[in-house]
Amino acid sequence: MSDTQNSLSVRVELPREDAVLLTVEGDLDSATAVALQRHLTEQLRLGRRHFLLDIAGVPFMDSSGMNIILRVYKEVRDCAGGVYVISPTPAVRRILDLTGVSLTVPMLDSVDEALAAAS
C-alpha cells in the first residue's frame, strides 16, 4: 500500500504481525503530514505495536512531522510497543536532536536494527 499527497509518499509493509514499516519520501510538513498520520492511525487500529519509520527519503521535516512521531510514540508506549526512526538525513537528524525527539525515540541505521530493537 502506498499514498502520495503533495509530494509525500508513504509505503506500508508488514515485516512482522506486530510491526509495521512505513517508508516515507518527500517533505514532511504541515501540508503533507496528514498522509502519514492516516497510515499510523490505521495501523494502530489494526493492533500494530511497533512502528518502524524509514525516513531516509525525507529531506525536510517541520514540527508537524515531529509531532506525529511523538504522538504515535505516546500511543504505543502503554502497550509495550515502540517507535523507531530509521536513517534520518543529516538535516532531519539535526532537527530531531535539537528538539530532543531523538532522546525519546531511538534513531537507527537500518530496518534490521529497528526490528531487533522491537523484539
Side-chain angles (χ1 to χ4, degrees):
M1 177 187 333
S2 72
D3 186 24
T4 304
Q5 176 181 337
N6 295 338
S7 78
L8 185 77
S9 168
V10 180
R11 190 174 72 242
V12 178
E13 299 173 65
L14 302 174
R16 289 194 328 228
E17 184 61 31
D18 66 340
V20 60
L21 168 63
L22 295 105
T23 304
V24 184
E25 295 180 348
D27 291 344
L28 186 52
D29 56 27
S30 61
T32 62
V34 68
L36 179 57
Q37 181 63 51
R38 187 173 62 246
H39 286 291
L40 292 169
T41 299
E42 176 67 9
Q43 293 303 317
L44 280 166
R45 188 186 68 73
L46 293 170
R48 308 287 183 248
R49 297 179 342 184
H50 299 287
F51 289 79
L52 290 60
L53 303 175
D54 184 344
I55 61 170
V58 176
F60 172 80
M61 178 188 297
D62 71 5
S63 62
S64 301
M66 290 179 283
N67 287 334
I68 287 172
I69 292 170
L70 291 173
R71 190 175 307 131
V72 74
Y73 170 80
K74 289 176 184 176
E75 291 277 339
V76 299
R77 72 177 174 189
D78 294 333
C79 64
V83 176
Y84 309 90
V85 173
I86 303 164
S87 300
T89 61
V92 170
R93 175 64 191 245
R94 184 165 190 259
I95 300 252
L96 295 171
D97 288 344
L98 288 172
T99 59
V101 173
S102 62
L103 297 173
T104 303
V105 179
M107 304 287 137
L108 302 166
D109 292 328
S110 71
V111 172
D112 289 338
E113 283 183 34
L115 283 170
S119 294

